[in-house]
Amino acid sequence: MFERTIAAIATPAGDGALGVIRISGDDAIAIADRVFTAFSGKKLSSLEGYSAAYGEIMENEIRLDDAVALVFRAPHSYTGENTVEITVHGGSLMLRSVLRLILKSGAFLAQPGEFTKRAFLNGKSDLVKAESVMGLISASNEAELRLSRTAHSGKVAKKIAEIESGLTALAASVAAYSDYPDEDIEGLNYENFNSMLRSAQNALNKMLKEYDAGKILREGIVTAIVGRPNVGKSTLMNMLSGEERSIVTDVPGTTRDIVEDTVTIGDLTLRLADTAGIRDTDDTVESIGVRLAKKRIESSQLILAVFDSSEPFSDEDYAMLDYIKDKNAVIVLNKTDLKDIVNAEALDGFTVVKISAKEGTGYDELSEAIAKAAGIASLSPDSAVLLSERQRACAQRTLEGVTAAREALNSGMSVDAVGVCIDDALAALLELTGKRVTNEVTDEIFRRFCVGK
Ligand code: GDP
């Protein structure tokens, strides 16, 4: 399908025990035969797919290295093309010298993502799967890795295929009606149409919601820990991180800097800032802390508002509750090992968790409340969720098309008008999986890959 046979180093830069160079394209095996000599005397071109040969890489009588060559025959390879993977010793210079020889022998240097792009264009992978490869490679936490694995396994594509088949059936009914308006078309009645559109709408809404939750699982949630001085914010942070990161002291107002830190609670990464207490104060350094805390609240997705349960609420506490009442906050009542004398009425409507940061109690309850507040409680890292902003935007456009189709249907517009909206929705969905996608979009996606992938 592609004229050029491409090659690139597939393993990371730097020195390693082994390094792999991948060659893919019609001439991959012939080119490999020009540089590789098997000790068995057999040519790679005589080998079946999925076989390996041990030999050496020769450049004009000079032996560059021992090597193992793995032969894949089209279409049974990652790219769907003839492919040879040559494994040599993993030094950067060694790999570059072997690659140079392969390029001299007829291959072209691969563009970033070109192997995966060929896999997509050769029908080995849809776009959702191809994009998940990036997540498999660059995952920075367990949750991201598992979400990428699930997408790579085809679960996400299956979910999308279900919506697609419903919409395709509707579009087919509309097309049949347009061609034969006087005939009875099976399935073309209001009830059926409306219910199919509604179920597509529900599935898409769920998918978009899960995307947001998945994004939080992958990237973490920006979290502000706030509260008066001395209520135990630093101690809470230490409890979460399991380390003595913040300065814990009995002097009120000592946590002055915003300390960026990440901790994991359950499946979730909290991107924390330990802030000064919110209070009015004349102390200039402390005032800066207060201003920063308010700013931090505004720019956070989650607020852990800490209160001292052993003291009655002060005016500042009431002010804080008022300040955060419409925000995504979890109230953390700390020091419950001492006593619990707070005004429960003032906490009506809030999510409240009782803990003792000092003794480490209440961790599970806090973890559960945080997962709920972060919107990830119903999502496990094995869930099938969309992985990229591009995919989300396509799903959003599909939803808009489906919603418009329902509105057109319910306002008594013509079947053709409904059909136009369904076609829009389908086009966006086909772009999501890559069944119908422009070259520009494909190029843009694969440009973000590394060379060799
Ligand atoms: P911050 O100013 O809000 O960061 O408060 P700190 O974390 O520095 O804690 C202030 C004081 O309260 C320290 O002496 C802590 O040991 C104490 N403290 C924190 N959490 C608890 C708790 O759960 N129980 C008790 N009894 N003391 C605590």
Side-chain angles (χ1 to χ4, degrees):
M1 183 169 178
F2 299 90
E3 284 172 14
R4 293 177 160 199
T5 291
I6 50 170
I9 298 169
T11 37
D15 300 341
L18 299 173
V20 174
I21 294 165
R22 178 153 57 174
I23 315 170
S24 179
D26 284 351
D27 297 334
I29 300 171
I31 290 171
D33 264 333
R34 282 175 214 146
V35 303
F36 174 88
T37 310
F39 293 134
S40 66
K42 278 191 192 159
K43 286 283 185 196
L44 295 176
S45 49
S46 71
L47 300 184
E48 289 182 7
Y50 300 133
S51 19
Y54 178 44
E56 56 194 356
I57 303 286
M58 299 295 294
E59 182 173 28
N60 303 330
E61 313 299 315
I62 296 171
R63 188 170 161 282
L64 297 188
D65 200 4
D66 281 358
V68 172
L70 255 175
V71 176
F72 301 83
R73 288 197 175 267
H76 304 295
S77 71
Y78 180 71
T79 55
E81 304 170 329
N82 282 343
T83 298
V84 180
E85 287 177 9
I86 294 182
T87 304
V88 290
H89 288 107
S92 320
L93 279 178
M94 168 66 79
L95 282 163
R96 270 186 275 156
S97 69
V98 177
L99 176 64
R100 220 171 12 240
L101 178 63
I102 291 169
L103 297 180
K104 263 205 280 185
S105 309
F108 291 82
L109 184 63
Q111 300 292 311
E114 195 170 356
F115 292 95
T116 309
K117 184 177 172 181
R118 287 187 175 200
F120 164 65
L121 294 173
N122 287 330
K124 297 293 284 187
S125 153
D126 61 40
L127 272 190
V128 175
K129 187 172 172 183
E131 281 180 303
S132 71
V133 171
M134 223 155 25
L136 290 179
I137 294 172
S138 64
S140 57
N141 60 45
E142 274 300 318
E144 183 171 10
L145 182 59
R146 281 161 69 189
L147 288 174
S148 302
R149 274 194 192 124
T150 306
H152 194 253
S153 75
K155 258 195 189 172
V156 179
K158 191 162 164 255
K159 261 186 172 178
I160 296 166
E162 280 164 19
I163 301 174
E164 186 192 321
S165 78
L167 291 179
T168 307
L170 289 181
S173 302
V174 171
Y177 173 82
S178 302
D179 291 344
Y180 307 101
D182 298 330
E183 304 268 324
D184 270 348
I185 309 290
E186 200 187 328
L188 193 66
N189 62 60
Y190 172 83
E191 274 314 319
N192 194 17
F193 247 63
N194 196 36
S195 91
M196 281 176 88
L197 287 172
R198 196 176 43 226
S199 70
Q201 230 176 352
N202 289 343
L204 287 159
N205 267 322
K206 186 160 177 272
M207 205 172 246
L208 288 166
K209 218 168 139 198
E210 287 179 348
Y211 170 80
D212 291 339
K215 189 167 156 84
I216 282 175
L217 262 186
R218 291 197 310 275
E219 298 176 4
I221 186 164
V222 179
T223 306
I225 297 184
V226 295
R228 269 193 295 125
N230 229 27
V231 292
K233 297 181 297 297
S234 313
T235 313
L236 168 63
M237 201 172 138
N238 292 341
M239 166 182 165
L240 292 174
S241 61
E243 282 176 38
E244 291 279 318
R245 293 251 175 96
S246 308
I247 310 151
V248 179
T249 147
D250 286 327
V251 184
T254 41
T255 316
R256 282 176 172 152
D257 296 326
I258 292 194
V259 183
E260 289 286 351
D261 207 344
T262 63
V263 295
T264 308
I265 182 160
D267 287 322
L268 184 63
T269 303
L270 304 185
R271 293 165 56 195
L272 289 180
D274 189 3
T275 64
I278 288 192
R279 62 171 196 172
D280 294 319
T281 167
D282 294 334
D283 178 305
T284 42
V285 178
E286 189 62 25
S287 301
I288 292 167
V290 172
R291 272 213 309 282
L292 287 176
K294 284 191 175 174
K295 210 168 130 197
R296 186 69 188 174
I297 285 185
E298 293 309 324
S299 59
S300 291
Q301 297 163 291
L302 173 72
I303 294 134
L304 300 183
V306 188
F307 296 89
D308 184 337
S309 73
S310 68
E311 291 177 357
F313 280 150
S314 66
D315 289 348
E316 294 158 60
D317 290 333
Y318 285 114
M320 161 78 93
L321 286 171
D322 194 50
Y323 192 71
I324 60 171
K325 65 176 185 295
D326 298 322
K327 306 202 178 343
N328 191 24
V330 172
I331 305 294
V332 183
L333 285 186
N334 188 34
K335 307 197 188 182
T336 49
D337 56 296
L338 299 177
K339 47 193 166 166
D340 179 2
I341 56 165
V342 296
N343 174 6
E345 252 173 51
L347 298 176
D348 253 9
F350 284 103
T351 302
V352 181
V353 181
K354 296 183 178 187
I355 68 160
S356 165
K358 196 172 183 178
E359 302 196 343
T361 59
Y363 182 90
D364 291 346
E365 291 79 359
L366 185 61
S367 170
E368 208 173 294
I370 287 175
K372 259 199 193 134
I376 60 152
S378 60
L379 192 72
S380 86
D382 300 321
S383 302
V385 300
L386 301 176
L387 283 182
S388 72
E389 193 50 40
R390 183 197 75 83
Q391 295 173 8
R392 192 205 64 78
C394 289
Q396 178 69 41
R397 270 171 38 222
T398 311
L399 176 62
E400 282 160 15
V402 171
T403 306
R406 257 191 101 187
E407 279 164 13
L409 186 73
N410 288 322
S411 61
M413 286 168 83
S414 70
V415 172
D416 284 340
V418 178
V420 168
C421 301
I422 293 174
D423 285 346
D424 285 349
L426 257 179
L429 203 61
L430 294 177
E431 187 178 321
L432 203 173
T433 52
K435 278 192 189 159
R436 207 190 291 158
V437 72
T438 61
N439 289 344
E440 288 74 23
V441 171
T442 325
D443 288 348
E444 180 55 35
I445 291 169
F446 292 103
R447 218 185 353 253
R448 282 177 277 135
F449 279 61
C450 48
V451 174
K453 191 61 236 171

